[in-house]
Amino acid sequence: MTGEGSAGTDRGPLDVTKVLAALPHRYPMLLIDRVEEMIPDQSIAAIKAVTFNEGFFQGHFPGRPIMPGVLIVEALAQAAGVLAVESLGLSGSGKLVYFMAIEEAKFRKPVEPGVLLRLEVEFVQKRARVCKFAGRALVDGQVAAEANFTAMIADPPSA
């Protein structure tokens, strides 16, 4: 994310309260702690503080804790969900963002406890109900993982 766009279009930071308004995820599956920068209809940069207290570190792996790659991709998808919901004016609507496809996922560096995982996601294609994204997760400016993915915006299931 380069911070491109006109000065009036940037949004951020968004604290966890605003993230909770945009996403239905809750503990232990909420993987976004804050949004540092967002340019609606373009890109988002969010942060996940990776702590040793995360439940998955108990078994992945004892003696060598590493954040599972699928959870890194999920964190990227949640950042994309915030971007999509905010860009489409759907925050607080209860709309859900579902994965449709994950492509070209690559894991380049282990993500260990004690780091700030920066999640950068850009729209590749945006339609009313289906969006394509390109994302990358960074630790200290180095790419830890990257993926392209497609998601669908849907109504929540009826009760």
Side-chain angles (χ1 to χ4, degrees), residues 3 41 83-84 89 107 133 141-142 147 156:
D41 301 315
L83 176 61
F107 304 96
F133 304 93
Q142 295 182 347

Side-chain angles (χ1 to χ4, degrees), residues 11-26:
R11 284 192 212 159
L14 302 179
D15 64 16
V16 73
T17 304
K18 291 179 182 165
V19 171
L20 289 170
L23 295 176
H25 302 76
R26 297 299 181 261

